[in-house]
Amino acid sequence: MTDDLDDARVLLCRTATEAVNRTAQKLEAAVCAAVAARGHAAIALSGGSTPRPLYDLLATPAWKSRLPWQQLWVFFADERAVPHSSSESNGGTILRQLLVPNGVPMTQVNFMPTASFDIAGAASDYEATLRKKLGDPPRFDFVLLGLGDDGHTASLFPGSSVLAPTARLVLPSIAPHAATKQRLTLTATAINYAREVVFLVTGAAKRDAVHGTLAGPDVPARYPAQLIEPADGTLTWILDVAAAGVPPDAVGFASAETPPAA
Ligand code: 6PG
């Protein structure tokens, strides 16, 4: 690990597969602790390509029997204004890939209502759902985030007004360079109430964004993921060596150890 990423919050892995395994283990620990404490676990999931191998892993028979899927309350970090049938829909994709195969009760899956023409109303509705189901302030037990190569996370994009300090939990957002621009996103405020936040970031395309976010000066308007700092929770960045921009032999013994079998 290079000095500028020598950060206690970083869990550096030799491969993307190891990063996925570590993320699955963190999710398992958070979910099991929450179910033991409160009888259910509230998680918020992200879309994008990076977590797909994680969702595939979690849908394998080994993981199906390892997590209390019936006790999961599922929410989403962000969503595009597309129907669930679209491959761009985070809710629809995660539903098909993970939630249906693992039998999560549909009454416990809380989709962002992006099919509504009233996107501001949809943001208020999802905010009300969070408060109704999770209390005030609503605290997720586990939030899984990704990192865009421009430094965005969830749908918190560089230069956007949604980055301004706010009491709002959910806001409409515009993805400046994406085909489907209209989004709904959890705000940094909502994410920072969480008990645990994990970024899963793999691949060399993320290297500059990782360094700008973790090792550069504090400029959240340029690197929105810098806004994510849970006030009373833990934050972990799970990176493979490609995303960290370091050689495989930079991984120290502790983090290079093979994790317990998945
Ligand atoms: C989404 C996200 C978004 C994602 C990043 C990284 O739905 O797209 O929630 O914030 O995590 O864009 O996406 P990739 O994993 O595809 O690089």
Side-chain angles (χ1 to χ4, degrees), residues 46-51 78 80 90 146-148 152-155 183 206:
S46 285
S49 55
T50 309
D78 66 333
R80 295 165 181 81
N90 289 345
L147 184 72
H152 81 266
T153 190
S155 282
R183 311 273 183 102
K206 303 296 171 65

Side-chain angles (χ1 to χ4, degrees), residues 13 15 19 28 40 46-48 81 83-84 100 104 117 139 154 159 170 181 183 195 204 232:
C13 301
T15 64
E28 178 187 32
H40 63 265
S46 285
H84 285 158
V100 168
V104 175
F117 290 110
R139 299 196 70 193
V170 184
K181 294 190 163 31
R183 311 273 183 102
R195 295 186 172 88
D232 185 21

Side-chain angles (χ1 to χ4, degrees), residues 178-204:
T180 304
K181 294 190 163 31
Q182 185 67 69
R183 311 273 183 102
L184 273 189
T185 186
L186 296 182
T187 61
T189 304
I191 297 167
N192 286 336
Y193 285 133
R195 295 186 172 88
E196 178 159 7
V197 178
V198 169
F199 281 86
L200 171 62
V201 189
T202 59

